Amino acid sequence: MLGKYDIIVVGGGHAGSEAAAAAANLGSRVLLITLNMQNIAQMSCNPAMGGVAKGQVVREIDALGGYSGIVADRSAIQFRMLNRSKGPAMWSPRTQNDRALFTIEWRKILESVPNMDFWQDMVVDILIKKDRVAGVKTKMGLDIKSDAVILSNGTFLNGKIHIGPTQLSGGRIGEEASVGLSERINEFGFEKGRMKTGTPVRVDGRSIDFSKLSEQAGDDYPTKFSFSNLTTPLVKQRSCFIAYTNEKVHEILKTGFAESPMFNNRIKGVGPRYCPSIEDKIERFSDRNRHQLFVEPEGWDTIEHYINGFSSSLPDHIQLKALRKIEGFENAKIFRPGYAIEYDYFDPMQLKNTLETKQIENLYFTGQINGTTGYEEAAAQGLMAGINAALKLKKEKEFILSRSDAYIGVLIDDLVTKGTSEPYRLFTSRAEYRILLRQDNADLRLTEKSYHIGLADKERYDRVLEKKENVKKIIKFIESEGATLEELNNAITNNNGKPLRQKGKLKSVLLRPEIGMQAMMDSIPKLKIFAQQFDNEEIAQAEIQIKYQTYIEKERDFVKKLSRLEGIIIPERIDYEKITSLSSEALEKLRKIRPTSIGQAGRISGVTPADVSILLVHLGR
């Protein structure tokens, strides 16, 4: 019934959607198989995109020609730029989203992508021929042939839901788990493990007294994720609210610990360290008498609210009883309780940097199957797997982003080099080059790279080239032009700075930490007139490059020094057993991970500088 495809993508979540779209846009004939066509890119947990480091990833996906940023903009109900009080390397965009609209917008986009078909079914087996993918087998009994398969199964591989003593089979509440496929992958020789995540209660907003909560509005002048002109910033926004637990809440939650699957060993999977359940928080941080909660609306036209920070797997009656002791929630009604979910994952050190598996050719893993957590991390992996699968079938060079190229490069390198024993979450602290990897310059870093492989279109590419030229013009003007002493001092004193004694260049004033471009334009007429030919994004980019020039150049120099090691390639068929001077731990890790470069080898836990030196000698370097 279904013919042969170039690529089959299994799973229609954030990873699967980006993978399918990227591969199809690169010319591959793609089939997306998902359990439920109504839940394409479903926001299974909180209805939000971005945040610390995650917002940078969404902008990188957009710069590369992916769709997560566009969908996030089109379904946004609030926009905030986090960490504005810190330097621009820490600024992180975040949207609150309409959960239902997010799914609708993703499906619209996927249905408009050429070369893509859809099939609603469950994949139960991977067809293999001579250690190479040949297609998939579905629950309906279909054998569908393909040259490559991308698995993006989310939490569905043997998913098990826990609500107190109650256990349900499912990948999400109300949706069946994927059974059988995980065992087949295991039979192919892949090492698997078990992880756990969770989600909080959903509350009827009509039963919340918002007057007792603290309002958290969006930015006064919201921007957006996408660098394209396909979206526009929000004009109106919905507010979130902040609430707090208290000691009464904690005491009630503790009464359910005896029935908690977390504390009686019914849950075997490892949970996320950075997003613990409420029972885990009050157990681990017993000295704290309250914890912050974010009350987030689920959309424009719904009364449903998500209680961020109140994730739980306790019995439902305990969750409700404790919730009603929170100020503002005394009369709370819930739509459904929180729950924990366990699922299978596979050690990502079994993958190449392209996310292709080492054991089976043309089989790719993306998202939570690799042990990650978060929509953004999943979408980034999906995009890169889709790109690389399509390029490989066209016999073109693989597309790999380094740690100095993108947060996406940090994410993938961490996974394939270090692996993970707990749900992996990206943070700015994981990136050693975060001054270079800012959210504001993702298009300048990545769009040209994507254009050259055929994903980002020419309009995007031309916009980036124009932006680069305009930023250069602004910087040149600031560096070369001066102003009267009165004009310069007006800009300074209006911002509580110490005035100058003699006039100078505009740059000397802009370098002051308390002075920004807007303050200077307000006081210096010729700068204001000059700046009118540029958009706000170009002006902001020029300001950052001028203010942080020294730091940016220092980090670029550091990248150049370390890139020498990244450029020393380790042959794929190297026999580590013949390198007798390696430590036993290094030998074991190098055989397992098989790094592609000396740089990657040096980042493997257990490989010492001495081992790296031995490798260099062996390679004649």
Side-chain angles (χ1 to χ4, degrees):
M1 185 171 64
L2 294 168
K4 183 181 177 181
Y5 289 85
D6 296 322
I7 299 170
I8 293 175
V9 178
V10 181
H14 299 261
S17 296
E18 287 286 8
N25 280 328
L26 285 170
S28 293
R29 187 164 178 251
V30 176
L31 176 66
L32 176 61
I33 303 179
T34 183
L35 288 169
N36 190 338
M37 286 289 294
Q38 309 309 312
N39 292 332
I40 293 285
Q42 172 82 306
M43 291 179 138
S44 306
C45 204
N46 63 322
M49 288 291 284
V52 177
K54 293 168 176 282
Q56 283 87 328
V57 168
V58 176
R59 296 215 91 188
E60 289 177 353
I61 291 170
D62 181 77
L64 288 166
Y67 292 109
S68 290
I70 291 171
V71 174
D73 287 343
R74 288 177 177 173
S75 61
I77 62 174
Q78 186 193 88
F79 182 94
R80 291 180 67 218
M81 185 67 76
L82 307 183
N83 291 333
R84 275 286 194 183
S85 62
K86 301 179 181 178
M90 302 299 289
W91 297 354
S92 303
R94 183 183 188 273
T95 54
Q96 199 68 35
N97 294 86
D98 185 309
R99 185 188 299 276
L101 187 57
F102 188 91
T103 297
I104 291 169
E105 289 295 334
W106 247 119
R107 181 162 175 175
K108 282 181 184 177
I109 284 175
L110 290 176
E111 290 181 351
S112 70
V113 174
N115 306 319
M116 192 186 302
D117 291 340
F118 303 87
W119 185 251
Q120 185 166 297
D121 203 344
M122 179 189 293
V123 170
V124 295
D125 197 1
I126 307 295
L127 304 178
I128 306 295
K129 189 174 182 180
K130 294 182 179 178
D131 295 326
R132 185 186 178 101
V133 159
V136 301
K137 181 183 286 293
T138 76
K139 192 175 181 180
M140 290 186 189
L142 298 178
D143 283 0
I144 309 173
K145 302 296 177 60
S146 70
D147 294 318
V149 170
I150 301 173
L151 294 184
S152 52
N153 303 80
T155 59
F156 283 78
L157 290 177
N158 291 327
K160 183 184 290 185
I161 293 169
H162 298 266
I163 307 172
T166 303
Q167 294 184 20
L168 306 168
S169 174
R172 260 190 304 254
I173 200 157
E175 296 184 59
E176 65 178 320
S178 175
V179 179
L181 180 58
S182 183
E183 287 72 20
R184 285 292 294 141
I185 298 171
N186 195 207
E187 289 173 10
F188 296 142
F190 290 89
E191 296 177 20
K192 72 172 181 175
R194 198 88 168 138
M195 283 189 176
K196 167 255 174 189
T197 189
T199 194
V201 295
R202 305 300 202 270
V203 179
D204 185 335
R206 296 171 300 183
S207 66
I208 302 172
D209 185 350
F210 290 100
S211 67
K212 295 182 179 180
L213 309 183
S214 301
E215 185 175 5
Q216 187 180 57
D219 288 349
D220 291 336
Y221 302 100
T223 52
K224 61 195 184 85
F225 275 119
S226 182
F227 293 98
S228 75
N229 56 8
L230 298 174
T231 64
T232 55
L234 286 167
V235 176
K236 65 173 184 174
Q237 301 184 68
R238 284 199 69 176
S239 289
C240 296
F241 294 83
I242 296 174
Y244 294 92
T245 64
N246 54 57
E247 291 179 342
K248 289 182 180 178
V249 174
H250 298 178
E251 289 304 315
I252 293 170
L253 291 170
K254 287 176 182 177
T255 65
F257 279 12
E259 295 182 278
S260 168
M262 275 190 58
F263 298 130
N264 58 25
N265 294 321
R266 280 202 301 276
I267 291 180
K268 305 297 183 185
V270 181
R273 183 192 316 184
Y274 305 103
C275 189
S277 65
I278 188 63
E279 57 264 36
D280 195 18
K281 280 192 278 191
I282 64 176
E283 175 77 3
R284 286 165 54 188
F285 308 108
S286 56
D287 57 316
R288 296 183 60 177
N289 57 18
R290 72 173 190 171
H291 293 282
Q292 190 176 56
L293 306 174
F294 295 92
V295 183
E296 303 174 344
E298 294 262 343
W300 287 114
D301 304 309
T302 178
I303 57 173
E304 188 173 356
H305 283 70
Y306 177 96
I307 314 304
N308 196 337
F310 205 78
S311 174
S312 180
S313 60
L314 292 172
D316 50 1
H317 65 279
I318 297 290
Q319 293 184 41
L320 181 58
K321 187 177 179 181
L323 185 70
R324 286 178 172 171
K325 293 298 180 182
I326 297 170
E327 191 171 4
F329 287 81
E330 294 85 354
N331 300 305
K333 296 179 181 179
I334 65 174
F335 290 152
R336 73 165 193 239
Y339 62 87
I341 180 166
E342 283 186 286
Y343 55 94
D344 290 345
Y345 84 103
F346 292 86
D347 186 344
M349 289 194 293
Q350 300 169 104
L351 304 176
K352 301 176 183 178
N353 292 74
T354 59
L355 299 179
E356 181 185 15
T357 66
K358 295 172 182 175
Q359 287 96 319
I360 297 176
E361 189 174 0
N362 291 352
L363 176 63
Y364 296 77
F365 290 174
T366 66
Q368 284 173 292
I369 193 174
N370 291 336
T372 60
T373 180
Y375 311 141
E376 303 83 1
E377 289 91 338
Q381 293 171 72
L383 178 71
M384 297 301 288
I387 289 172
N388 279 301
L391 292 178
K392 185 175 182 185
L393 295 185
K394 293 195 291 184
K395 294 182 170 52
E396 294 182 10
K397 185 181 178 182
E398 61 192 14
F399 185 69
I400 294 173
L401 297 174
S402 72
R403 297 181 73 90
S404 59
D405 286 330
Y407 271 93
I408 295 174
V410 174
L411 163 68
I412 293 176
D413 184 69
D414 277 354
L415 291 174
V416 303
T417 303
K418 303 173 184 176
T420 186
S421 58
E422 61 180 314
Y424 176 100
R425 179 179 177 180
L426 199 57
F427 291 99
T428 51
S429 58
R430 295 192 190 271
E432 56 269 57
Y433 309 119
R434 54 185 175 273
I435 294 175
L436 301 181
L437 308 183
R438 307 183 310 276
Q439 57 84 30
D440 60 84
N441 69 352
D443 56 339
L444 303 181
R445 289 185 278 119
L446 299 174
T447 298
E448 187 172 356
K449 293 177 184 289
S450 182
Y451 173 73
H452 288 312
I453 64 169
L455 186 57
D457 60 31
K458 191 171 189 306
E459 182 182 352
R460 286 255 191 155
Y461 178 56
D462 289 341
R463 282 169 62 89
V464 167
L465 293 181
E466 182 183 9
K467 181 178 178 179
K468 284 182 178 179
E469 286 304 310
N470 286 342
V471 169
K472 286 180 183 178
K473 289 177 184 177
I474 298 168
I475 292 173
K476 183 178 180 181
F477 187 89
I478 296 293
E479 289 179 339
S480 61
E481 294 291 326
T484 67
L485 183 60
E486 181 184 6
E487 288 172 340
L488 294 175
N489 279 336
N490 281 340
I492 293 169
T493 56
N494 288 342
N495 289 275
N496 303 315
K498 186 177 179 180
L500 296 169
R501 293 183 179 178
Q502 61 185 32
K503 68 178 184 178
K505 301 295 183 185
L506 298 178
K507 180 180 177 180
S508 65
V509 177
L510 186 58
L511 286 175
R512 294 189 174 207
E514 73 274 14
I515 306 295
M517 281 286 285
Q518 188 59 54
M520 292 182 65
M521 288 188 289
D522 290 342
S523 301
I524 303 169
K526 72 174 180 181
L527 176 59
K528 185 174 184 178
I529 293 169
F530 173 78
Q532 286 174 353
Q533 61 187 303
F534 307 106
D535 63 34
N536 292 336
E537 206 170 87
E538 292 166 343
I539 294 169
Q541 181 61 218
E543 178 179 348
I544 289 170
Q545 290 190 24
I546 291 170
K547 278 185 173 292
Y548 297 92
Q549 180 182 3
T550 302
Y551 300 100
I552 292 169
E553 288 178 354
K554 186 181 291 186
E555 199 144 281
R556 282 178 179 154
D557 288 342
F558 190 55
V559 169
K560 287 178 183 177
K561 289 176 183 177
L562 291 184
S563 64
R564 184 180 69 86
L565 297 178
E566 299 295 337
I568 301 176
I569 304 303
I570 299 176
E572 190 174 344
R573 299 184 182 277
I574 187 171
D575 187 353
Y576 290 107
E577 297 285 354
K578 292 182 178 178
I579 311 175
T580 55
S581 302
L582 289 171
S583 68
S584 57
E585 184 177 3
L587 179 61
E588 179 187 345
K589 294 288 183 66
L590 290 167
R591 280 187 308 195
K592 179 178 181 180
I593 299 171
R594 304 201 71 79
T596 58
S597 71
I598 290 292
Q600 185 186 1
R603 292 190 295 273
I604 298 172
S605 175
V607 176
T608 67
D611 293 315
V612 171
S613 296
I614 292 165
L615 276 174
L616 284 168
V617 171
H618 181 78
L619 295 173
R621 304 296 289 268

